[in-house]
Amino acid sequence: DTEVTQTPKHLVMGMTNKKSLKCEQHMGHRAMYWYKQKAKKPPELMFVYSYEKLSINESVPSRFSPECPNSSLLNLHLHALQPEDSALYLCASSQDLNAGQNSPLHFGNGTRLTVT
Amino acid sequence: QQPVQSPQAVILREGEDAVINCSSSKALYSVHWYRQKHGEAPVFLMILLKGGEQKGHDKISASFNEKKQQSSLYLTASQLSYSGTYFCGTTSGGSNYKLTFGKGTLLTVNP
């Protein structure tokens, strides 16, 4: 069992829908991440939060909107997505951002998103 | 900058050994190794920091050659459970704490 929990596991949405992905961890980690992974590709970093503040935005389109309500929760709000946004969205956490270089990322099992 | 992994894929029989390489043209601070099975999350294997250390985890070990900016993952006496895609991730230190993953190496262990 993973210590990072993501919901839902699967999501199908139309291009005009608004939906949210949720991620939760209770390991006391202060850095949380959103990654996007296409089939047979490595995870690509989207956003990083450190102590509940956005630290990195990898030039992600505004139709993806992250939110970190508290140190245990991370959301990704989705609006007006395109079919090419279909992918596995992974949440991860680490002890803190500086330690992220020498402490592991703990990944959730991901949300499989399909945009129709 | 994305590290380069080799080989792209390898097929083994149970009990055989394999080496997966990860190299970068940039000076590295740390190298992470993860394994991802189909339909599952990446799972952390080990981290190596600059200093040329070598680590081991059961029959999986890794080395980091700081001069060559290269890390190698060694899988000995492979088991069926070793099958999956192996990713290395690298950081460059300082304020650049972003972990960048290589394209991955697909390892298949057959009976």
Side-chain angles (χ1 to χ4, degrees):
Chain A
D1 286 341
T2 180
E3 296 170 341
V4 177
T5 304
Q6 289 187 245
T7 56
K9 290 184 179 180
H10 300 275
L11 179 63
V12 179
M13 61 184 290
M15 289 188 284
T16 59
N17 291 159
K18 283 186 181 180
K19 296 286 185 183
S20 296
L21 309 184
K22 297 186 183 300
C23 174
E24 189 169 3
Q25 58 88 15
H26 294 288
M27 295 178 282
H29 289 173
R30 304 313 299 267
M32 296 187 76
Y33 310 73
W34 280 115
Y35 281 86
K36 173 182 176 180
Q37 187 175 29
K38 293 279 218 178
K40 299 185 179 181
K41 299 289 186 183
E44 293 179 34
L45 184 64
M46 299 175 71
F47 302 104
V48 181
Y49 273 83
S50 176
Y51 290 85
E52 298 150 53
K53 292 185 179 179
L54 185 63
S55 291
I56 296 178
N57 177 342
E58 288 288 291
S59 301
V60 179
S62 60
R63 57 185 183 268
F64 294 91
S65 176
E67 178 195 19
C68 190
N70 60 56
S71 60
S72 300
L73 296 174
L74 186 65
N75 298 322
L76 185 63
H77 303 297
L78 313 172
H79 173 55
L81 295 192
Q82 304 297 312
E84 59 264 29
D85 296 322
S86 298
L88 179 67
Y89 288 84
L90 293 163
C91 172
S93 68
S94 68
Q95 191 173 350
D96 62 48
L97 203 54
N98 288 329
Q101 297 201 69
N102 52 20
S103 67
L105 292 183
H106 295 254
F107 284 91
N109 283 327
T111 293
R112 178 77 58 188
L113 175 67
T114 303
V115 182
T116 60
Chain B
Q1 190 166 5
Q2 187 176 44
V4 178
Q5 282 187 240
S6 63
Q8 290 184 343
V10 59
I11 299 174
L12 300 175
R13 287 230 168 143
E14 205 172 0
E16 292 182 336
D17 302 340
V19 180
I20 300 172
N21 297 307
C22 175
S23 63
S24 174
S25 57
K26 290 182 68 174
L28 297 177
Y29 175 80
S30 68
V31 179
H32 297 218
W33 286 98
Y34 293 81
R35 177 173 61 210
Q36 185 175 29
K37 292 181 180 287
H38 182 68
E40 298 181 9
V43 173
F44 168 75
L45 294 176
M46 63 189 75
I47 289 176
L48 300 101
L49 303 180
K50 68 176 183 178
E53 65 178 284
Q54 186 156 350
K55 281 194 174 181
H57 174 64
D58 195 11
K59 293 179 181 176
I60 300 175
S61 62
S63 63
F64 180 14
N65 186 321
E66 189 178 344
K67 288 184 179 179
K68 292 184 178 180
Q69 304 305 324
Q70 180 178 341
S71 177
S72 296
L73 185 71
Y74 306 94
L75 301 105
T76 59
S78 60
Q79 306 168 14
L80 297 176
S81 61
Y82 286 4
S83 293
T85 301
Y86 289 77
F87 293 104
C88 71
T90 58
T91 68
S92 300
S95 60
N96 185 3
Y97 34 67
K98 176 183 165 185
L99 183 68
T100 303
F101 288 99
K103 291 186 176 180
T105 296
L106 178 61
L107 178 74
T108 304
V109 181
N110 292 320

